């Protein structure tokens, strides 16, 4: 298996593991911060234990030696882990995942600001079209059940923070950031513990909570490893799968209707990003040939 095939497979597994994330948040009967605590504590603890048992403390030291880039990555990853749960608790799942699809837009802006990379005309058109799609989603939040503008804004913050983390990670792409994910999750879990009341989690919710943590562990590992082998455009295309599958899964299991505005706005966002990434891949192949 060559690097591209390996990267596509690893990233695809990571995407499929993250698809049920929002469904778990819907199914677990607990306060949002309590769900966020166990989501981060279990996933972070499992990741750190696995690395310590297999590779020792070296990988953690390597992430810390990246300096401010590792710090930005961990802040973005950890903070977005909490805000995601809060966003899902305040607005519809469809709104959250469609807005999260805007992550490549934030990544392009950050790359322009911090890496001095130019923004192409294609990306400018993509940014404008995605902004229109998000505006449609936000407009419909006042008329759609389970949706709210506050939750939409939190989802936008998740996208911005996680994109910042990924941009920082590009400065240290030779270093695996998987240990950074584990450390970030555990640190943020400790910070929110006083407000989360983790011991108030009902005992009958334990299987769901444990399953949630395991899924997040695997998705975090695979999504940190896969993009090291494939282009950002290929990653972007695969990430769109989560935007499509997650609301459908929640709709099928708990009957949460996305609403027409979310579907229209989401279609604009996904179609725009799909077309943009396909153009980028086509141009890349032409340059190689």
């Amino acid at each position: 298996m060559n690097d591209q095939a390996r990267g596509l497979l690893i990233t695809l597994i990571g995407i499929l593991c993250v698809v049920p994330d929002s469904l778990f948040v819907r199914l677990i009967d607990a306060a949002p911060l309590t769900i966020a605590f166990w989501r981060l504590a279990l996933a972070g603890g499992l990741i750190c234990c696995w690395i310590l048992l297999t590779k020792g403390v070296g990988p953690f030291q390597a992430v810390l030696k990246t300096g401010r880039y590792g710090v930005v990555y961990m802040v973005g990853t950890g903070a977005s882990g909490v805000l995601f749960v809060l966003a899902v608790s305040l607005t519809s799942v469809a709104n959250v995942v469609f807005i999260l699809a805007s992550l490549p837009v934030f990544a392009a802006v950050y790359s322009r600001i911090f890496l001095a990379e130019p923004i192409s005309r294609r990306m400018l058109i993509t940014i404008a079209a995605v902004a229109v799609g998000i505006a449609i989603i936000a407009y419909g939040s006042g008329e759609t059940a389970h949706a709210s503008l506050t939750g939409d804004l939190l989802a936008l913050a998740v996208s911005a923070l996680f994109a910042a983390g990924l941009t920082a990670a590009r400065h240290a792409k030779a270093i695996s950031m998987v240990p950074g994910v584990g450390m970030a999750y555990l640190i943020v879990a400790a910070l929110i513990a006083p407000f989360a009341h983790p011991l108030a989690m009902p005992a009958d919710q334990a299987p769901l909570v444990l399953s949630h943590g395991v899924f997040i562990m695997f998705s975090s590992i695979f999504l940190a490893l896969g993009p090291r082998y494939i282009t950002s455009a290929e990653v972007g295309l695969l990430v769109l799968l989560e935007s499509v599958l997650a609301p459908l899964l929640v709709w099928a299991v708990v009957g949460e209707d996305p609403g027409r505005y979310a579907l229209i706005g989401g279609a604009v966002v996904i179609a725009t990003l799909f077309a943009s990434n396909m153009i980028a891949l086509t141009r890349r192949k032409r340059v190689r040939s």
Side-chain angles (χ1 to χ4, degrees):
M1 184 179 293
N2 58 34
D3 282 351
Q4 184 184 34
R6 182 182 295 109
L8 288 171
L9 179 60
I10 293 173
T11 305
L12 177 61
I13 294 172
I15 294 297
L16 294 178
C17 286
V18 83
V19 166
D21 191 4
S22 50
L23 177 61
F24 278 117
V25 176
R26 279 284 184 270
L27 293 177
I28 296 172
D29 184 18
L33 279 180
T34 303
I35 296 174
F37 170 85
W38 284 112
R39 177 184 189 268
L40 298 177
L42 286 171
L46 289 170
I47 290 171
C48 288
C49 287
W50 173 69
I51 294 173
L52 285 171
L53 290 172
T54 57
K55 300 183 179 180
V57 298
F60 298 100
Q61 294 173 336
V63 172
L64 295 176
K65 286 180 180 178
T66 62
R68 64 180 181 273
Y69 303 121
V71 172
V72 171
Y73 179 80
M74 288 192 288
V75 169
T77 301
S80 62
V82 175
L83 294 181
F84 173 82
V85 176
L86 295 177
V88 172
S89 68
L90 292 173
T91 193
S92 71
V93 169
N95 283 26
V96 172
V97 296
F98 289 149
I99 292 173
L100 288 182
S102 67
L103 188 148
V105 170
F106 284 104
V109 173
Y110 293 147
S111 295
R112 176 70 183 96
I113 296 172
F114 299 109
L115 305 181
E117 294 180 353
I119 298 181
S120 64
R121 184 174 63 177
R122 171 185 63 83
M123 203 61 212
L124 287 173
I125 295 172
T126 299
I127 291 171
V130 167
V132 170
I134 291 176
I136 294 172
I137 294 170
Y139 175 79
S141 290
E143 301 183 18
T144 305
H146 307 293
S148 75
L149 184 58
T150 301
D152 294 347
L153 291 174
L154 285 176
L156 199 62
V158 173
S159 185
L161 283 166
F162 198 67
L166 293 179
T167 303
R170 289 182 58 193
H171 280 275
K173 58 184 178 182
I175 303 298
S176 171
M177 284 296 174
V178 174
V181 176
M183 289 188 289
Y185 283 178
L186 288 180
I187 291 170
V188 174
L191 290 174
I192 67 172
F195 313 98
H197 307 295
L199 297 181
M201 177 69 72
D204 61 352
Q205 299 295 298
L208 281 174
V209 173
L210 181 59
S211 299
H212 192 193
V214 170
F215 269 89
I216 295 303
M217 177 196 69
F218 281 118
S219 68
S220 299
I221 292 173
F222 287 124
L223 290 178
L225 293 175
R228 298 175 67 189
Y229 300 100
I230 56 178
T231 66
S232 58
E234 289 170 318
V235 173
L237 287 173
L238 290 174
V239 168
L240 293 180
L241 280 175
E242 197 261 342
S243 299
V244 174
L245 296 177
L248 291 177
L249 180 62
V250 173
W251 195 355
V253 176
V254 300
E256 183 178 302
D257 187 346
R260 60 176 179 173
Y261 288 104
L263 292 176
I264 294 171
V268 172
V269 171
I270 291 174
T272 298
L273 292 170
F274 179 82
S276 179
N277 288 325
M278 285 301 295
I279 292 171
L281 280 175
T282 301
R283 288 177 177 174
R284 186 180 179 87
K285 289 178 179 178
R286 286 176 182 172
V287 170
R288 285 180 174 177
S289 60

